[in-house]
Amino acid sequence: MQQELLSFIPEYIPLGVVVYDKDGFLKYANSIALKMFGVSMKEVYDINIFNDPNIMDNDKELLKKGLNVSFETDYDFDLCGEQFFDTPIRGIRKYFVTKVTIMKDPEGQRKGYILTCEDVTEKKAQEREIINSYKKIKSAQEDLSLALHTGKLVSWNYQVKEEIFYKFNHQIENIENIEKQSLNSIYERVYPDDREKFLALLDNIIHKRKLPNNNIVLKVLNDENHDYCYYNFTFSAREDENGSITVITFIQQDRTEEIKYQQNLILAKNKAEEADKLKSTFLANMSHEIRTPLNAIVGFSQLLSETNDQEEKDEYKQLIETNSDILLKLIGDILDLSKIEAGSIDIHRQELDLSQLCEELFQSFKQRLKDTNVTLKLIDPYAKCTAYFDKHRFIQIFTNFMSNAIKYTPHGEIVMGYECKPGQVRLYVKDTGIGIPEQKKHHIFGRFEKLDNFAQGTGLGLSICKAIAEATKGEVGFESTENVGSEFWYLGYTDVEFVEKSQQTEEKTIRKIVRRTPSNILPTQMKELRILIAEDNDSNYLLIKNILKKNLLTRALNGAEAVEYAGSQTFDVILMDLRMPIMNGLEAASHIRKFDCQTPIIALTANAFDSDKDAALNAGCNFFMTKPVKRHALFELLSSLDKKSKSKNNKMS
């Protein structure tokens, strides 16, 4: 009965069972095994397991050594052929999971081999389908990720119940490794002004409230550059079977560059409109400010020729000179404005005696102060003070401060002064004038800003002071109370040496005042000079001709003539205009220096920038003077050249 039951077992288990003798010859195969291989028992009886071409050689060696083996086989029936066993199964392959166990008797002697085989072909096909599906999904995810990356997009899923945001990433295999952020952490990253809007959006989506559109722009902190960036969030919601919102998907798009570009366009548009307004203001101011002194110059020039009264002539001359100075300052301010626009304020530091320079400025301002109701004071607490400043800019700051103080102080006093600390000098001008209203204080250093539109001036002075402060890495500011007075100050950082006056010595000190030579007294005892004047403009030449009428003058109408005259004649000095036809003054000076290194060349030009001065000196000019020419300054320069020439001749003799 046991034998009968045992004979049923191989036929009813879901595996192919094959028995081989100890030499490997097949002696039994159950019906499942015969069906797997499409053969009968007769066709495979006595085939040898070691001749099966689908079993690897290393597995056969293990069997021969008495070891059990297990392997998976992608069984190729076409390899069997007539040498192993013939089967009608052709052109297909099956996948078998096979195990071969060695049978032994109680004494351990090999009795044969038992092979069990499971056909997993369908299972493998299903696995391949799953793998192919997974690959397709993976490929779709990669394409989606590429599309998101190309469009600077990031996908987030917000799980409503968990209050967790999950970031999409196709490269993450394990869900535990997916980046996730709590609602609170996302909230903290949103720009403070946008946080309430963000929470309101979530609440509206969760409660299915109608929204005008399905996107919103928020400023969110960027993890890479730790700066707030603009992101557009497009959203959609998913419901469960009960109709409750469970997941909200956000597609995040970086729109920082686009929005900043739009903001820059708006800013540029506003600047252009502001520039247009400033241009109109500038032209209106310039027209008024140029015409005002020009009217006085033209008018009093005509009156000067019509009167014989010497006192009137002197008065008219003084008025013409005053208005000429105003016009020159106006032109200087315009030039400085153009430098500010170009961002090229020139600074040339030199050692200055601040005590002496402030005294000179004080005397100059006293002459300008016509109102007898105003007292001008100078505070100079130092016996000695030297510092490194740009002299021109130092004077410019004090002059602009003082001009405003004089203009807006109808009575009381104006105090100018300076004070030193190690490494810094503070200039200041105080007045008891009209002061500055609160509503105008934040505009006071702007261009064309004037407290009184009827007061003379361009409104450029304080903006130029601010530009000088920025160029020298200093500071500028003011304190003011309306109807009480103002104090304007400049703080410069520089090397400074100072010695304070003691109270005793100060009482005994007599202030040293530098006496200036009046402009109508010219140097005397200057010999008659041979002067070459290179000037194409007839009016300018006639002016120079009348100023230098006691000298021997030769005129060149352009740079080429100047070079020709300088090569054929001997001159004591050459006055060189820089802008001339055919050959300009720079080229002419350069050509002259090739054959004459001795004759002094004075550049006399309307080009007033420091770059023009540098270009002239580099071309070979010895001195640089700007038009309109100041007669006294020109005579002083010619006199000094005459003295040097005499000294040189004395040494040679």
Side-chain angles (χ1 to χ4, degrees):
M1 184 177 178
Q2 285 182 340
Q3 290 178 348
E4 187 177 358
L5 289 172
L6 289 171
S7 67
F8 285 141
I9 292 173
E11 296 300 327
Y12 286 96
I13 63 175
L15 297 174
V17 180
V18 182
V19 179
Y20 300 87
D21 65 14
K22 63 183 177 62
D23 296 318
F25 291 100
L26 189 148
K27 297 302 180 182
Y28 169 81
N30 69 354
S31 58
I32 294 176
L34 295 173
K35 186 177 179 181
M36 283 182 183
F37 292 94
V39 295
S40 64
M41 186 65 195
K42 183 179 179 180
E43 290 172 322
V44 294
Y45 188 80
D46 266 353
I47 64 172
N48 195 289
I49 190 173
F50 295 107
N51 292 331
D52 189 340
N54 284 289
I55 298 177
M56 302 296 292
D57 290 340
N58 60 329
D59 289 327
K60 293 175 182 178
E61 290 298 323
L62 292 173
L63 289 173
K64 289 177 181 180
K65 292 178 180 179
L67 300 173
N68 299 331
V69 296
S70 297
F71 49 85
E72 296 180 355
T73 308
D74 188 5
Y75 207 88
D76 188 354
F77 289 92
D78 291 340
L79 293 176
C80 296
E82 297 179 358
Q83 293 182 359
F84 186 47
F85 68 86
D86 193 16
T87 174
I89 299 174
R90 290 285 185 268
I92 65 171
R93 300 169 76 164
K94 292 188 177 183
Y95 206 87
F96 299 134
V97 176
T98 305
K99 183 176 182 181
V100 183
T101 304
I102 299 185
M103 298 184 294
K104 297 180 182 180
D105 61 16
E107 286 77 25
Q109 297 298 317
R110 185 181 305 183
K111 297 294 289 183
Y113 305 91
I114 182 168
L115 180 148
T116 58
C117 182
E118 180 183 5
D119 187 351
V120 294
T121 304
E122 290 185 8
K123 188 185 293 185
K124 284 294 180 182
Q126 291 174 353
E127 287 180 0
R128 279 194 290 270
E129 286 183 11
I130 292 172
I131 291 171
N132 288 335
S133 298
Y134 175 77
K135 287 181 178 178
K136 289 179 181 178
I137 293 172
K138 191 76 171 174
S139 177
Q141 288 179 332
E142 289 175 352
D143 291 342
L144 175 59
S145 178
L146 179 62
L148 292 173
H149 178 73
T150 303
K152 295 183 178 179
L153 305 175
V154 177
S155 178
W156 293 88
N157 280 339
Y158 175 60
Q159 300 290 338
V160 176
K161 289 184 179 180
E162 299 177 32
E163 293 190 342
I164 298 292
F165 284 85
Y166 292 89
K167 185 177 181 180
F168 168 78
N169 191 338
H170 78 280
Q171 297 177 338
I172 301 297
E173 300 288 347
N174 190 339
I175 192 170
E176 295 298 325
N177 295 328
I178 292 177
E179 181 182 342
K180 54 187 177 182
Q181 303 231 6
S182 68
L183 173 60
N184 187 61
S185 65
I186 293 291
Y187 175 83
E188 291 295 329
R189 288 175 57 196
V190 176
Y191 189 68
D193 291 350
D194 288 348
R195 289 174 181 172
E196 292 305 316
K197 184 166 60 172
F198 169 62
L199 292 180
L201 173 68
L202 289 180
D203 187 65
N204 288 331
I205 297 173
I206 293 169
H207 292 91
K208 299 182 181 180
R209 297 190 185 99
K210 189 174 181 181
L211 296 168
N213 47 52
N214 68 331
N215 69 286
I216 189 173
V217 176
L218 300 172
K219 284 177 73 175
V220 181
L221 191 64
N222 187 303
D223 292 332
E224 294 181 3
N225 56 20
H226 304 292
D227 193 12
Y228 284 101
C229 297
Y230 291 93
Y231 294 101
N232 181 72
F233 292 92
T234 304
F235 49 85
S236 62
R238 294 204 299 271
E239 302 177 2
D240 60 12
E241 61 275 7
N242 299 319
S244 298
I245 302 297
T246 57
V247 179
I248 306 173
T249 299
F250 290 92
I251 301 298
Q252 171 186 330
Q253 181 184 22
D254 188 349
R255 292 188 58 194
T256 305
E257 291 184 6
E258 177 187 348
I259 291 176
K260 286 188 175 181
Y261 178 72
Q262 292 174 352
Q263 290 175 341
N264 288 336
L265 282 179
I266 294 171
L267 186 63
K269 176 177 174 292
N270 293 337
K271 283 186 175 180
E273 291 175 351
E274 183 65 22
D276 189 56
K277 291 179 182 177
L278 287 175
K279 182 184 73 173
S280 299
T281 304
F282 174 78
L283 291 175
N285 281 344
M286 290 306 102
S287 175
H288 177 268
E289 296 302 327
I290 289 173
R291 287 174 180 274
T292 299
L294 196 59
N295 177 66
I297 293 170
V298 173
F300 285 114
S301 296
Q302 292 174 344
L303 292 175
L304 188 64
S305 63
E306 296 173 1
T307 184
N308 294 320
D309 188 288
Q310 187 59 44
E311 187 176 340
E312 286 186 355
K313 284 185 177 181
D314 292 340
E315 182 183 359
Y316 295 161
K317 287 178 184 179
Q318 180 62 43
L319 289 169
I320 291 171
E321 185 176 343
T322 299
N323 282 276
S324 297
D325 290 339
I326 292 171
L327 195 57
L328 283 175
K329 185 181 184 307
L330 173 64
I331 293 170
D333 285 348
I334 295 172
L335 292 177
D336 278 328
L337 177 64
S338 67
K339 291 181 181 181
I340 293 170
E341 295 285 354
S344 60
I345 288 283
D346 300 310
I347 302 297
H348 301 286
R349 293 183 183 271
Q350 64 187 92
E351 187 178 82
L352 299 180
D353 183 338
L354 298 190
S355 182
Q356 178 177 333
L357 185 55
C358 287
E359 181 63 53
E360 292 178 6
L361 289 172
F362 176 70
Q363 296 301 326
S364 173
F365 295 143
K366 280 180 68 176
Q367 294 178 12
R368 289 178 55 183
L369 188 63
K370 305 299 183 182
D371 196 335
T372 56
N373 294 322
V374 180
T375 303
L376 181 62
K377 294 180 180 180
L378 169 64
I379 304 299
D380 181 6
Y382 305 102
K384 175 185 178 183
C385 182
T386 57
Y388 286 86
F389 273 113
D390 183 317
K391 182 177 181 179
H392 172 63
R393 302 304 178 188
F394 183 94
I395 294 172
Q396 202 169 14
I397 289 172
F398 251 139
T399 300
N400 286 331
F401 286 171
M402 283 296 299
S403 296
N404 280 346
I406 293 172
K407 193 184 305 179
Y408 297 115
T409 306
H411 53 78
E413 68 175 15
I414 300 172
V415 179
M416 62 174 285
Y418 68 102
E419 51 195 13
C420 302
K421 292 181 181 179
Q424 68 181 45
V425 177
R426 182 178 182 272
L427 318 180
Y428 62 88
V429 173
K430 299 179 183 179
D431 64 65
T432 58
I434 64 175
I436 303 169
E438 286 296 326
Q439 66 271 21
K440 288 193 174 185
K441 284 185 177 180
H442 62 289
H443 294 303
I444 203 67
F445 284 104
R447 297 173 198 170
F448 311 116
E449 291 294 334
K450 298 165 69 176
L451 292 178
D452 181 359
N453 290 329
F454 296 99
Q456 193 168 15
T458 60
L460 293 174
L462 292 180
S463 65
I464 290 171
C465 289
K466 182 180 178 182
I468 294 171
E470 291 172 352
T472 57
K473 295 181 171 52
E475 300 173 36
V476 67
F478 72 97
E479 291 83 34
S480 181
T481 303
E482 191 173 8
N483 298 321
V484 175
S486 305
E487 176 182 353
F488 282 84
W489 53 265
Y490 163 79
L491 185 62
Y493 298 96
T494 182
D495 293 335
V496 58
E497 294 181 8
F498 57 94
V499 178
E500 294 187 7
K501 297 175 182 176
S502 67
Q503 187 173 355
Q504 292 179 344
T505 56
E506 188 172 3
E507 292 174 356
K508 298 177 182 179
T509 299
I510 299 175
R511 188 182 297 275
K512 180 182 178 182
I513 299 176
V514 178
R515 301 292 181 183
R516 295 187 174 185
T517 305
S519 59
N520 60 339
I521 300 177
L522 300 176
T524 56
Q525 298 180 346
M526 186 174 71
K527 74 170 187 178
E528 188 179 60
L529 300 176
R530 292 162 296 177
I531 302 175
L532 172 61
I533 303 173
E535 175 60 71
D536 62 309
N537 185 279
D538 291 337
S539 297
N540 288 339
Y541 172 70
L542 288 174
L543 177 62
I544 297 297
K545 179 182 178 183
N546 280 281
I547 292 174
L548 303 176
K549 57 187 176 182
K550 293 183 180 180
N551 297 277
L552 298 174
L553 307 179
T554 302
R555 182 187 182 187
L557 292 171
N558 54 63
E561 283 190 8
V563 174
E564 182 181 348
Y565 286 137
S568 60
Q569 301 179 39
T570 301
F571 296 96
D572 296 308
V573 67
I574 299 173
L575 299 183
M576 183 73 72
D577 184 28
L578 296 188
R579 287 193 180 185
M580 292 184 291
I582 302 176
M583 180 185 292
N584 65 43
L586 296 178
E587 294 174 306
S590 180
H591 280 293
I592 291 171
R593 285 297 175 236
K594 291 178 181 178
F595 58 81
D596 181 358
C597 297
Q598 301 298 323
T599 304
I601 301 177
I602 301 172
L604 188 59
T605 176
N607 296 0
F609 287 115
D610 289 335
S611 57
D612 299 316
K613 180 179 180 180
D614 294 339
L617 297 179
N618 290 334
C621 296
N622 303 92
F623 306 95
F624 185 85
M625 299 186 74
T626 57
K627 297 176 182 177
V629 61
K630 293 184 178 180
R631 186 173 60 152
H632 187 270
L634 179 59
F635 268 98
E636 279 189 341
L637 178 56
L638 294 176
S639 177
S640 67
L641 293 176
D642 181 42
K643 289 177 182 178
K644 287 181 181 178
S645 176
K646 289 178 180 178
S647 175
K648 183 177 179 181
N649 292 333
N650 291 335
K651 288 181 180 179
M652 291 178 63
S653 60

